[in-house]
Amino acid sequence: MDNQAEVREFLTSRRAKITPELAGLPSGSRRRVPGLRRSEVAALADVSVEYYAKLERGNLAGVSPAVLEAVARALQLDDAERAHLLNLAHAADGSDALTRPRRRTAQWKAHRSLQWVLDAVTAGPAFVRNGRMDLLAANELARAFYADVYASAGNQANLARFQFLDPASRRFYPDWEQAADIAVSILRTEAGRNPRDKGLHDLVGELSTRSDDFRTRWGAHDVRHHGTGTKRFHHRTVGDLILAYEGLEMAAAPGLTLTIYTAEPGSASEESLSLLASWAATSQTLAPHSRD
């Protein structure tokens, strides 16, 4: 991905989101652009207009951490957006080669002890994914939970392909728009962290070509940390589920995330998960373990 274009579009999109009122500035009456002017961001960041314009043209190479932090404050970036800006700066310097996760080959498989850990989680779906949202390893309940994902070979065990290219996702995610926003923000975050990932380039190109919903969201340049929260699902076998999730970065495998879903104790969703676990244990139609 073109680093300068990424920087330019990210900074421009963040500037457009900050109104003068949010920045504590007078709004004036003759504004021709949404959000702040470049000169206003420059003043808030305490840099010259010319220097900020250079940054917004995509030239982050050699920019000091202090200046990046000042720009982040001026644009009121959240933690995920700050991290994304730093990743883009690292890529501009060429230092991302030292900091990005090691590239995973197509032959990556969960080692036995990791699969044992996943299989030891019996009360909820547990799975490992990479930044491209490939499902790399899963326990039995996760394979049953994502039965729709595994059901189509075209999804390639990838949650983003399922989200945007498989009509079944509209049923599986009752809050489809929100789930779509999250999926794209995860991919956009990964693009900043690992800009030379050919698999990610290919995935983004495929989804941009085949899905207007994806293409529009990708152009928004939104990023986020996706570590904890609650989601609604509708499973084709057990119906509605409200599940909490925790995403854990894997120290032994940089760039991979272990996610566990669970239901509130005593809730209808817990009962439905138990039913799904029983179904998974007896079903002979589940897909085999996913692959990268």
Side-chain angles (χ1 to χ4, degrees), residues 178-239:
Q178 180 186 57
D181 290 343
I182 290 171
V184 174
S185 67
I186 290 173
L187 294 180
R188 177 60 79 176
T189 300
E190 180 67 9
R193 184 167 50 229
N194 201 5
R196 293 179 175 84
D197 185 338
K198 184 180 183 302
L200 180 60
H201 284 229
D202 293 344
L203 176 63
V204 170
E206 176 189 357
L207 296 180
S208 296
T209 300
R210 300 178 61 188
S211 170
D212 291 340
D213 288 310
F214 178 86
R215 186 166 55 251
T216 299
R217 287 171 168 82
W218 185 253
H221 285 263
D222 290 334
V223 295
R224 64 175 288 160
H225 291 154
H226 189 63
T228 186
T230 302
K231 293 181 183 179
R232 293 197 307 143
F233 302 94
H234 182 85
H235 193 275
R236 64 185 185 185
T237 301
V238 298

Side-chain angles (χ1 to χ4, degrees), residues 116-128:
W116 295 341
V117 170
L118 293 173
D119 292 339
V121 180
T122 57
F127 59 93
V128 174

Side-chain angles (χ1 to χ4, degrees), residues 111-122 126 139 258 260:
H111 50 82
R112 290 191 304 160
S113 59
L114 174 57
Q115 190 61 55
W116 295 341
V117 170
L118 293 173
D119 292 339
V121 180
T122 57
N139 66 359
L258 168 62
I260 300 174

Side-chain angles (χ1 to χ4, degrees), residues 7-290:
V7 173
R8 181 175 63 249
E9 293 167 12
F10 179 66
L11 290 178
T12 301
S13 67
R14 297 314 94 174
R15 177 163 61 88
K17 287 190 170 187
I18 305 298
T19 64
E21 291 79 10
L22 285 174
L25 300 172
S27 61
S29 58
R30 298 182 61 185
R31 288 190 170 269
R32 292 177 292 180
V33 296
L36 297 180
R37 300 183 178 101
R38 285 179 177 173
S39 59
E40 291 168 330
V41 177
L44 290 169
D46 196 23
V47 298
S48 70
V49 177
E50 293 77 12
Y51 188 74
Y52 179 73
K54 173 186 173 183
L55 301 184
E56 202 171 274
R57 286 195 296 271
N59 298 310
L60 287 187
V63 178
S64 71
V67 169
L68 291 173
E69 180 57 31
V71 169
R73 284 198 305 270
L75 295 175
Q76 301 182 22
L77 303 186
D78 62 24
D79 289 345
E81 291 168 329
R82 259 188 180 83
H84 188 62
L85 180 62
L86 291 175
N87 284 329
L88 292 174
H90 290 160
D93 284 335
S95 57
D96 66 303
L98 300 177
T99 59
R100 69 177 185 264
R102 290 179 299 172
R103 185 183 177 124
R104 300 277 156 191
T105 70
Q107 300 302 315
W108 187 89
K109 298 289 184 181
H111 50 82
R112 290 191 304 160
S113 59
L114 174 57
Q115 190 61 55
W116 295 341
V117 170
L118 293 173
D119 292 339
V121 180
T122 57
F127 59 93
V128 174
R129 67 162 178 83
N130 59 20
R132 298 191 302 271
M133 301 187 72
D134 295 318
L135 293 171
L136 304 180
N139 66 359
E140 186 175 71
L141 188 48
R143 293 191 293 275
F145 179 69
Y146 283 124
D148 282 339
V149 180
Y150 292 120
S152 171
N155 293 330
Q156 299 178 46
N158 179 274
L159 293 174
R161 282 192 184 88
F162 173 68
Q163 177 79 52
F164 290 101
L165 304 182
D166 192 329
S169 71
R170 300 277 180 170
R171 181 193 69 240
F172 185 69
Y173 297 112
D175 303 313
W176 190 92
E177 298 286 341
Q178 180 186 57
D181 290 343
I182 290 171
V184 174
S185 67
I186 290 173
L187 294 180
R188 177 60 79 176
T189 300
E190 180 67 9
R193 184 167 50 229
N194 201 5
R196 293 179 175 84
D197 185 338
K198 184 180 183 302
L200 180 60
H201 284 229
D202 293 344
L203 176 63
V204 170
E206 176 189 357
L207 296 180
S208 296
T209 300
R210 300 178 61 188
S211 170
D212 291 340
D213 288 310
F214 178 86
R215 186 166 55 251
T216 299
R217 287 171 168 82
W218 185 253
H221 285 263
D222 290 334
V223 295
R224 64 175 288 160
H225 291 154
H226 189 63
T228 186
T230 302
K231 293 181 183 179
R232 293 197 307 143
F233 302 94
H234 182 85
H235 193 275
R236 64 185 185 185
T237 301
V238 298
D240 294 333
L241 295 161
I242 299 176
L243 302 179
Y245 65 88
E246 294 289 336
L248 310 172
E249 295 297 322
M250 296 178 60
L256 303 188
T257 301
L258 168 62
T259 300
I260 300 174
Y261 282 103
T262 188
E264 181 181 353
S267 66
S269 293
E270 183 183 47
E271 183 177 345
S272 295
L273 267 186
S274 296
L275 180 61
L276 182 60
S278 298
W279 175 79
T282 57
S283 175
Q284 300 300 314
T285 61
L286 293 181
H289 288 250
S290 59

